[in-house]
């Protein structure tokens, strides 16, 4: 018998037990500049993100563009209001969480418990203290309970990896199992083992788009309860609600639309993709409120921009056919703006702000020297009229997703 098996036999619950007693937590502190680190729970680690830093002459100004990480390249986001606090632990049965924390140096503590039946570190509890940073991803495997402190005004990007299985603990409609933070016991769960192919990831993400686009309600929480001596699962759905108005944005040159979101708090939102590639970049823009000296456009792509959080004010300016600039605040993650190919626009920010940047790629014309996805052009302010795009034929979203995955895989070896 291995040492890990001996530990399981002597100290930890057997795989058929449904709960286990809680243990004291062991604390770990991660340095601000540390991007890769492992922890005593198997599979929990930090890995680096993939980003590009832009200078003030780039068109966006001083900005960092954070690309998807290696994996299926699905990008979901969760925003957190100023008084946000988790009152429960959550366990994903069929999902690895891969979390990037976009913030302004906030101190975050991740509390984790290994609840995986058969895991060599089953029952281990740790607390990881670190600062919000766009430079690293926290990996939380399926079956590891987690909750976080310090998320007020932080935006998390999740790049989930999904698994399926024949599993009594898994509900395909909601695989999150919750339990109170102060509970003296924690569930022991079976986790799904069969990693889904990329095509299935895209299908699930598109299903989430439809569901979150049609019903902007709160996500349900699923709890394990004892009913008549039998462990069962029950769902509880908060009654948070509220829709923003788009009336004031009628006629704006960049068409405004509601994002595909659900509520995770009265003013906190889970936002899933809006394009069929299901992937996006994050623009992290730092500004002093000064108007940029230039506009930008994309000749071979349509962009969908969503403000997802920030420490100060933010604005979007777009030019029209009459060479007139229209400006609107960007301050609501429930509203996105579609920037057609060739349209000239600019972002202005106070403090540190984050924007989800989705795209649809055009097919490049024969002989064109413009590279799809690297088609940003910078323009002076004297002419903000849209550039003419003669043929609009978009490549399939799956192809763009494949490009994002290939780029992430290539970055791994740099």
């Amino acid at each position: 018998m291995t040492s890990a098996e001996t530990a399981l036999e002597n100290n930890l619950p057997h795989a058929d037990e449904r709960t286990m007693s809680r243990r004291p937590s062991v604390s770990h502190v991660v340095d601000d500049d540390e991007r890769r680190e492992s922890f005593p729970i198997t599979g929990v680690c930090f890995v680096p993100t993939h980003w590009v830093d832009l200078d003030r002459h780039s068109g966006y100004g001083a900005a960092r563009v954070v690309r998807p990480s290696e994996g299926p390249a699905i990008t979901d986001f969760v925003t957190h209001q100023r008084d946000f606090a988790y009152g429960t632990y959550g366990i994903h049965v069929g999902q690895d969480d891969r979390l990037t924390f976009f913030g302004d140096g906030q101190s975050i503590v991740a509390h984790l418990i290994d609840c995986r039946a058969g895991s060599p570190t089953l029952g281990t509890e740790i607390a990881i203290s670190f600062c919000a940073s766009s430079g690293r991803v926290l990996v939380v495997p399926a079956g590891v309970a987690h909750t976080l402190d310090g998320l007020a005004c932080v935006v998390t990007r999740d790049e989930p990896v999904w698994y399926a299985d024949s599993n009594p603990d898994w509900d395909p409609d909601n695989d999150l199992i919750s339990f109170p933070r102060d509970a003296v016991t924690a569930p022991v769960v079976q986790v799904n083992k069969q990693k889904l192919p990329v095509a299935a990831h895209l299908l699930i993400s598109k299903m989430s788009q439809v569901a979150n686009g049609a019903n902007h309600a709160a996500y349900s929480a699923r709890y394990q309860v004892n009913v008549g001596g039998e462990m069962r699962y029950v769902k509880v759905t908060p009654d948070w609600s509220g829709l923003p108005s788009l009336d004031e944005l009628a006629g704006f040159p960049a068409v405004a639309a509601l994002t595909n979101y659900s509520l995770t708090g009265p003013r906190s939102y889970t936002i899933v993709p809006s394009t069929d590639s299901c992937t996006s970049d994050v623009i992290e823009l730092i500004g002093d409120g000064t108007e940029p000296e230039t506009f930008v456009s994309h000749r071979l792509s349509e962009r969908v921009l969503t403000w997802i959080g920030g420490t100060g004010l933010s604005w979007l300016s777009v030019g029209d056919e009459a060479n007139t600039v229209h400006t609107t605040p960007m301050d609501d993650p429930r509203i996105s703006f579609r920037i057609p190919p060739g349209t000239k626009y600019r972002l202005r920010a106070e403090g540190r702000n984050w924007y989800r940047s989705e795209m649809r790629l055009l097919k490049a014309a024969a002989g064109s020297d413009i590279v799809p996805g690297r088609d940003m052009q910078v323009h002076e302010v004297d002419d903000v009229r849209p550039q003419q795009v003669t043929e609009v034929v978009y490549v399939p979203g799956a192809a763009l997703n494949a490009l994002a995955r290939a780029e992430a895989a290539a970055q791994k070896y740099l």
Side-chain angles (χ1 to χ4, degrees):
M1 181 178 290
T2 67
S3 59
E5 291 170 335
T6 301
L8 270 174
E9 182 70 25
N10 295 337
N11 301 316
L12 301 176
H14 295 289
D16 60 350
E17 293 180 338
R18 305 295 292 164
T19 62
M20 60 184 172
S21 298
R22 298 279 303 275
R23 295 177 171 187
S25 181
V26 178
S27 297
H28 300 265
V29 178
V30 178
D31 293 339
D32 292 354
D33 58 354
E34 185 62 56
R35 299 177 60 212
R36 190 183 296 275
E37 188 162 341
S38 298
F39 301 97
I41 294 178
T42 302
V44 174
C45 60
F46 274 117
V47 296
T49 57
H50 168 203
W51 79 76
V52 177
D53 282 332
L54 306 177
D55 63 28
R56 65 184 185 88
H57 301 293
S58 66
Y60 281 144
R64 169 172 288 184
V65 179
V66 184
R67 310 291 193 196
S69 304
E70 188 179 17
I74 305 296
T75 51
D76 298 338
F77 295 86
V78 181
T79 70
H80 303 93
Q81 62 206 50
R82 290 189 178 278
D83 58 350
F84 186 91
Y86 278 116
T88 61
Y89 277 92
I91 311 171
H92 286 294
V93 174
Q95 173 179 315
D96 292 341
D97 275 334
R98 301 187 302 150
L99 306 171
T100 304
F101 299 88
F102 295 91
D104 196 30
Q106 291 96 328
S107 296
I108 299 171
V109 181
H111 303 273
L112 303 106
I113 309 171
D114 192 347
C115 296
R116 297 168 291 186
S119 168
T121 54
L122 175 63
T124 300
E125 296 200 26
I126 61 174
I128 306 172
S129 299
F130 58 96
C131 288
S133 168
S134 60
R136 58 193 174 200
V137 180
L138 176 63
V139 180
V140 182
V144 175
H146 52 286
T147 191
L148 298 112
D149 294 328
L151 290 184
C153 301
V154 172
V155 177
T156 57
R157 179 182 69 178
D158 192 5
E159 301 173 274
V161 178
W162 287 314
Y163 303 81
D165 221 329
S166 177
N167 182 355
D169 290 327
W170 183 46
D171 182 344
D173 185 52
N174 180 359
D175 83 331
L176 185 69
I177 300 171
S178 301
F179 63 95
R181 293 183 61 155
D182 59 358
V184 298
T185 62
V188 176
V189 301
Q190 298 180 44
V191 296
N192 292 350
K193 302 293 187 183
Q194 306 303 318
K195 184 178 177 179
L196 295 176
V198 171
H201 278 81
L202 291 173
L203 175 60
I204 292 172
S205 183
K206 291 172 185 177
M207 292 169 63
S208 296
Q209 293 182 40
V210 173
N212 285 25
N215 181 15
H216 303 291
Y219 275 124
S220 298
R222 192 161 59 108
Y223 294 89
Q224 191 182 75
V225 297
N226 191 314
V227 180
E230 181 180 352
M231 298 302 294
R232 299 182 180 180
Y233 289 106
V234 299
K235 292 182 181 180
V236 178
T237 305
D239 60 357
W240 305 314
S241 62
L243 289 172
S245 173
L246 300 177
D247 293 344
E248 295 183 0
L249 295 169
F252 191 72
V255 176
L258 294 182
T259 56
N260 300 319
Y261 74 89
S262 290
L263 290 105
T264 48
R267 296 177 304 283
S268 300
Y269 312 103
T270 293
I271 305 164
V272 302
S274 66
T275 63
D276 60 352
S277 71
C278 305
T279 192
S280 64
D281 296 335
V282 176
I283 302 171
E284 184 176 48
L285 181 61
I286 302 173
D288 60 5
T290 303
E291 287 277 9
E293 299 177 354
T294 56
F295 279 70
V296 299
S297 70
H298 307 279
R299 292 297 301 274
L300 289 178
S301 58
E302 174 188 86
R303 302 297 169 110
V304 181
L305 296 179
T306 308
W307 179 89
I308 50 177
T311 62
L313 301 177
S314 171
W315 299 266
L316 170 67
S317 296
V318 182
D320 68 8
E321 294 284 357
N323 206 26
T324 301
V325 176
H326 301 259
T327 301
T328 185
M330 287 189 77
D331 57 6
D332 192 330
R334 297 172 295 175
I335 299 174
S336 64
F337 294 87
R338 181 173 58 84
I339 313 291
T343 296
K344 299 173 185 177
Y345 71 97
R346 65 185 177 190
L347 295 169
R348 176 163 61 101
E350 291 180 353
R352 192 184 298 266
N353 283 264
W354 304 278
Y355 310 83
R356 178 183 66 173
S357 177
E358 302 173 285
M359 73 170 79
R360 291 198 297 161
L361 291 182
L362 290 175
K363 292 184 178 179
S368 173
D369 59 354
I370 303 175
V371 178
R374 298 290 183 268
D375 59 343
M376 178 185 286
Q377 296 180 313
V378 181
H379 307 276
E380 301 300 326
V381 298
D382 57 338
D383 186 358
V384 296
R385 290 169 293 190
Q387 297 175 291
Q388 295 301 314
V389 178
T390 56
E391 185 178 7
V392 178
V393 179
Y394 291 105
V395 303
L400 176 54
N401 179 276
L403 286 174
R405 289 185 285 110
E407 185 177 60
Q411 183 69 18
K412 177 180 179 181
Y413 300 101
L414 297 181

